[in-house]
Amino acid sequence: KGLEDKAKELGQKVVLMEPYRSGFTDASPLVQKIKTSGCKVLYLAAYLTDAVLIQRTLKEQNVDVTIVGTGVGHSMGQFGEMIGDLANYVLVSEGCHPAMNIEGLDKVREDFKNTFNKEMDPVALNAYVSLWIVKEGLEKAASADPKKVRDAISSLDLSSGPAVYTMSGKLKYD
C-alpha cells in the first residue's frame, strides 16, 4: 500500500498489484498477469526460491521488464549463483549493504566473517541493524512489555551506532 501510494504521488501509473503465496511452484499465471498488464518496471519483494522461479519464468515467456528486487530473494548471493546470467540487469533495493564504506562497518563485517566463516550479505546486515533497534527499544522501555517496547521503538531517533549502516545513515519512525 505504501509503495502504491508513493508511486501515485510521484505520478507513476500502477498497473498491477499482485500478491502471491510464497513457495509456489508455477510462476506462469503470475508472469502472464505481469505480461498482460504492460508494466515497464516490476518492483518485486520475494524470497530466494520465488525470485529465482519468477525470474526464470519471465525470461522463458520473453517478458521484457525492468526488475527492482527487494527482500531476501534478490539480496542474497545465491540468487545470481542459482540463475547465472539471468540475474543480469536486475536492480536490487536495500536499506543497507555491507559493501558500503562507512566507519565501523569493516569491523562488523570482519566479526561476522570470523563468526560464520562467510561474507556478510545485506540480509545479515539488515538483521544486525534490526536486532540493534530492538535492543535500543528494550533499553528505552526498561521493560519487556510488548506495548512499551513498541512505543519506545516508535519514538527512536537514531543517528549513531548501527543506524549509520542504513542508506539514510539514521533511523526515525513516524
CSV table of all heavy atoms in Angstrom, one decimal, residues 64-93:
chain,number,residue,atom,x,y,z
A,64,ASP,N,9.8,-8.6,-21.2
A,64,ASP,CA,10.9,-7.6,-21.1
A,64,ASP,C,10.4,-6.5,-20.1
A,64,ASP,O,9.7,-5.6,-20.5
A,64,ASP,CB,11.2,-7.0,-22.5
A,64,ASP,CG,12.4,-6.0,-22.4
A,64,ASP,OD1,13.2,-6.1,-21.5
A,64,ASP,OD2,12.4,-5.2,-23.3
A,65,VAL,N,10.9,-6.6,-18.9
A,65,VAL,CA,10.5,-5.6,-17.8
A,65,VAL,C,11.7,-5.4,-17.0
A,65,VAL,O,12.6,-6.3,-16.8
A,65,VAL,CB,9.3,-6.2,-17.0
A,65,VAL,CG1,9.7,-7.5,-16.3
A,65,VAL,CG2,8.8,-5.2,-16.0
A,66,THR,N,11.9,-4.1,-16.5
A,66,THR,CA,13.0,-3.8,-15.6
A,66,THR,C,12.5,-4.3,-14.2
A,66,THR,O,11.4,-4.0,-13.8
A,66,THR,CB,13.2,-2.3,-15.6
A,66,THR,OG1,13.6,-1.9,-16.9
A,66,THR,CG2,14.3,-1.9,-14.5
A,67,ILE,N,13.4,-5.0,-13.6
A,67,ILE,CA,13.1,-5.6,-12.3
A,67,ILE,C,13.9,-4.9,-11.2
A,67,ILE,O,15.1,-4.8,-11.3
A,67,ILE,CB,13.4,-7.1,-12.2
A,67,ILE,CG1,12.5,-7.8,-13.3
A,67,ILE,CG2,13.1,-7.7,-10.8
A,67,ILE,CD1,12.9,-9.2,-13.5
A,68,VAL,N,13.1,-4.4,-10.2
A,68,VAL,CA,13.7,-3.9,-9.0
A,68,VAL,C,13.3,-4.9,-7.9
A,68,VAL,O,12.2,-5.0,-7.5
A,68,VAL,CB,13.2,-2.5,-8.6
A,68,VAL,CG1,13.8,-2.0,-7.3
A,68,VAL,CG2,13.5,-1.5,-9.8
A,69,GLY,N,14.3,-5.7,-7.4
A,69,GLY,CA,14.1,-6.7,-6.4
A,69,GLY,C,14.4,-6.1,-5.0
A,69,GLY,O,15.3,-5.4,-4.8
A,70,THR,N,13.5,-6.5,-4.1
A,70,THR,CA,13.7,-6.1,-2.7
A,70,THR,C,13.4,-7.3,-1.9
A,70,THR,O,12.6,-8.2,-2.2
A,70,THR,CB,12.9,-4.9,-2.3
A,70,THR,OG1,13.2,-4.5,-1.0
A,70,THR,CG2,11.4,-5.2,-2.5
A,71,GLY,N,14.0,-7.4,-0.7
A,71,GLY,CA,13.7,-8.5,0.2
A,71,GLY,C,14.8,-9.6,0.0
A,71,GLY,O,15.8,-9.4,-0.8
A,72,VAL,N,14.7,-10.6,0.7
A,72,VAL,CA,15.8,-11.6,0.8
A,72,VAL,C,16.1,-12.2,-0.6
A,72,VAL,O,17.3,-12.5,-0.8
A,72,VAL,CB,15.5,-12.8,1.7
A,72,VAL,CG1,16.4,-12.9,2.9
A,72,VAL,CG2,14.1,-12.7,2.2
A,73,GLY,N,15.2,-12.5,-1.4
A,73,GLY,CA,15.4,-13.2,-2.7
A,73,GLY,C,16.5,-12.6,-3.5
A,73,GLY,O,17.4,-13.3,-3.9
A,74,HIS,N,16.4,-11.3,-3.8
A,74,HIS,CA,17.3,-10.7,-4.7
A,74,HIS,C,18.6,-10.2,-4.0
A,74,HIS,O,19.6,-10.0,-4.7
A,74,HIS,CB,16.6,-9.5,-5.4
A,74,HIS,CG,15.5,-9.9,-6.2
A,74,HIS,ND1,14.2,-10.0,-5.8
A,74,HIS,CD2,15.5,-10.3,-7.5
A,74,HIS,CE1,13.4,-10.4,-6.7
A,74,HIS,NE2,14.1,-10.6,-7.8
A,75,SER,N,18.6,-10.1,-2.7
A,75,SER,CA,19.8,-9.6,-2.0
A,75,SER,C,20.8,-10.7,-1.7
A,75,SER,O,22.0,-10.4,-1.5
A,75,SER,CB,19.3,-9.1,-0.6
A,75,SER,OG,18.4,-8.1,-0.8
A,76,MET,N,20.4,-11.9,-1.8
A,76,MET,CA,21.4,-13.0,-1.5
A,76,MET,C,22.2,-13.4,-2.7
A,76,MET,O,21.8,-13.4,-3.8
A,76,MET,CB,20.6,-14.2,-1.0
A,76,MET,CG,19.7,-13.9,0.3
A,76,MET,SD,18.8,-15.4,0.8
A,76,MET,CE,20.1,-16.3,1.6
A,77,GLY,N,23.5,-13.6,-2.4
A,77,GLY,CA,24.4,-14.0,-3.4
A,77,GLY,C,23.9,-15.3,-4.2
A,77,GLY,O,24.2,-15.5,-5.4
A,78,GLN,N,23.2,-16.1,-3.5
A,78,GLN,CA,22.7,-17.3,-4.1
A,78,GLN,C,21.7,-17.1,-5.3
A,78,GLN,O,21.6,-17.9,-6.2
A,78,GLN,CB,21.9,-18.2,-3.1
A,78,GLN,CG,22.8,-18.8,-2.1
A,78,GLN,CD,22.7,-18.0,-0.8
A,78,GLN,OE1,22.8,-16.7,-0.8
A,78,GLN,NE2,22.7,-18.6,0.3
A,79,PHE,N,21.1,-15.9,-5.3
A,79,PHE,CA,20.2,-15.5,-6.5
A,79,PHE,C,21.0,-15.6,-7.8
A,79,PHE,O,20.6,-16.3,-8.7
A,79,PHE,CB,19.6,-14.1,-6.2
A,79,PHE,CG,18.7,-13.7,-7.4
A,79,PHE,CD1,17.5,-14.3,-7.6
A,79,PHE,CD2,19.2,-12.6,-8.2
A,79,PHE,CE1,16.7,-13.8,-8.7
A,79,PHE,CE2,18.3,-12.2,-9.3
A,79,PHE,CZ,17.1,-12.8,-9.5
A,80,GLY,N,22.1,-14.9,-7.8
A,80,GLY,CA,23.0,-14.9,-9.0
A,80,GLY,C,23.6,-16.3,-9.3
A,80,GLY,O,23.7,-16.7,-10.4
A,81,GLU,N,24.0,-17.0,-8.2
A,81,GLU,CA,24.6,-18.3,-8.3
A,81,GLU,C,23.6,-19.3,-8.9
A,81,GLU,O,24.0,-20.1,-9.7
A,81,GLU,CB,25.1,-18.8,-7.0
A,81,GLU,CG,26.3,-18.0,-6.4
A,81,GLU,CD,26.5,-18.3,-4.9
A,81,GLU,OE1,25.9,-19.2,-4.4
A,81,GLU,OE2,27.3,-17.6,-4.3
A,82,MET,N,22.3,-19.2,-8.5
A,82,MET,CA,21.3,-20.2,-9.0
A,82,MET,C,20.9,-20.0,-10.4
A,82,MET,O,20.5,-20.9,-11.1
A,82,MET,CB,20.1,-20.1,-8.1
A,82,MET,CG,20.4,-20.7,-6.7
A,82,MET,SD,19.0,-20.4,-5.5
A,82,MET,CE,17.9,-21.7,-6.1
A,83,ILE,N,20.9,-18.7,-10.9
A,83,ILE,CA,20.4,-18.5,-12.3
A,83,ILE,C,21.4,-17.8,-13.2
A,83,ILE,O,21.1,-17.6,-14.4
A,83,ILE,CB,19.1,-17.7,-12.2
A,83,ILE,CG1,19.3,-16.3,-11.6
A,83,ILE,CG2,18.0,-18.4,-11.6
A,83,ILE,CD1,18.1,-15.4,-11.7
A,84,GLY,N,22.6,-17.6,-12.8
A,84,GLY,CA,23.7,-17.1,-13.6
A,84,GLY,C,23.3,-15.8,-14.3
A,84,GLY,O,22.9,-14.9,-13.7
A,85,ASP,N,23.5,-15.8,-15.7
A,85,ASP,CA,23.3,-14.6,-16.5
A,85,ASP,C,21.8,-14.1,-16.4
A,85,ASP,O,21.6,-12.9,-16.8
A,85,ASP,CB,23.7,-14.8,-17.9
A,85,ASP,CG,25.2,-14.9,-18.1
A,85,ASP,OD1,25.9,-14.6,-17.1
A,85,ASP,OD2,25.7,-15.4,-19.2
A,86,LEU,N,20.9,-14.9,-16.0
A,86,LEU,CA,19.5,-14.5,-15.9
A,86,LEU,C,19.4,-13.4,-14.8
A,86,LEU,O,18.4,-12.7,-14.8
A,86,LEU,CB,18.6,-15.6,-15.6
A,86,LEU,CG,18.3,-16.6,-16.7
A,86,LEU,CD1,17.4,-17.7,-16.3
A,86,LEU,CD2,17.8,-16.0,-18.0
A,87,ALA,N,20.4,-13.3,-14.0
A,87,ALA,CA,20.3,-12.3,-12.9
A,87,ALA,C,20.8,-10.9,-13.4
A,87,ALA,O,20.7,-9.9,-12.7
A,87,ALA,CB,21.1,-12.8,-11.7
A,88,ASN,N,21.4,-10.9,-14.6
A,88,ASN,CA,22.0,-9.6,-15.1
A,88,ASN,C,20.9,-8.6,-15.2
A,88,ASN,O,19.8,-9.0,-15.7
A,88,ASN,CB,22.7,-9.9,-16.4
A,88,ASN,CG,24.0,-10.6,-16.3
A,88,ASN,OD1,24.5,-10.8,-15.2
A,88,ASN,ND2,24.5,-11.1,-17.4
A,89,TYR,N,21.2,-7.4,-14.9
A,89,TYR,CA,20.3,-6.2,-15.1
A,89,TYR,C,19.1,-6.2,-14.1
A,89,TYR,O,18.2,-5.4,-14.3
A,89,TYR,CB,19.8,-6.1,-16.5
A,89,TYR,CG,20.9,-6.1,-17.5
A,89,TYR,CD1,21.1,-7.2,-18.3
A,89,TYR,CD2,21.7,-5.0,-17.6
A,89,TYR,CE1,22.2,-7.3,-19.2
A,89,TYR,CE2,22.8,-5.1,-18.5
A,89,TYR,CZ,23.0,-6.2,-19.3
A,89,TYR,OH,24.1,-6.2,-20.2
A,90,VAL,N,19.1,-7.1,-13.1
A,90,VAL,CA,18.1,-7.0,-12.0
A,90,VAL,C,18.7,-6.0,-11.0
A,90,VAL,O,19.8,-6.1,-10.5
A,90,VAL,CB,17.9,-8.3,-11.4
A,90,VAL,CG1,17.0,-8.2,-10.1
A,90,VAL,CG2,17.3,-9.3,-12.3
A,91,LEU,N,17.9,-5.0,-10.7
A,91,LEU,CA,18.3,-4.0,-9.8
A,91,LEU,C,17.9,-4.4,-8.4
A,91,LEU,O,16.8,-5.0,-8.2
A,91,LEU,CB,17.7,-2.6,-10.1
A,91,LEU,CG,17.9,-2.1,-11.5
A,91,LEU,CD1,17.0,-0.9,-11.8
A,91,LEU,CD2,19.4,-1.8,-11.8
A,92,VAL,N,18.7,-4.1,-7.4
A,92,VAL,CA,18.3,-4.6,-6.0
A,92,VAL,C,18.2,-3.3,-5.1
A,92,VAL,O,19.1,-2.5,-5.1
A,92,VAL,CB,19.4,-5.5,-5.5
A,92,VAL,CG1,19.0,-6.0,-4.0
A,92,VAL,CG2,19.5,-6.8,-6.4
A,93,SER,N,17.1,-3.2,-4.4
A,93,SER,CA,16.8,-2.1,-3.5
A,93,SER,C,17.0,-2.6,-2.1
A,93,SER,O,16.3,-3.6,-1.7
A,93,SER,CB,15.4,-1.6,-3.7
A,93,SER,OG,15.1,-0.7,-2.8
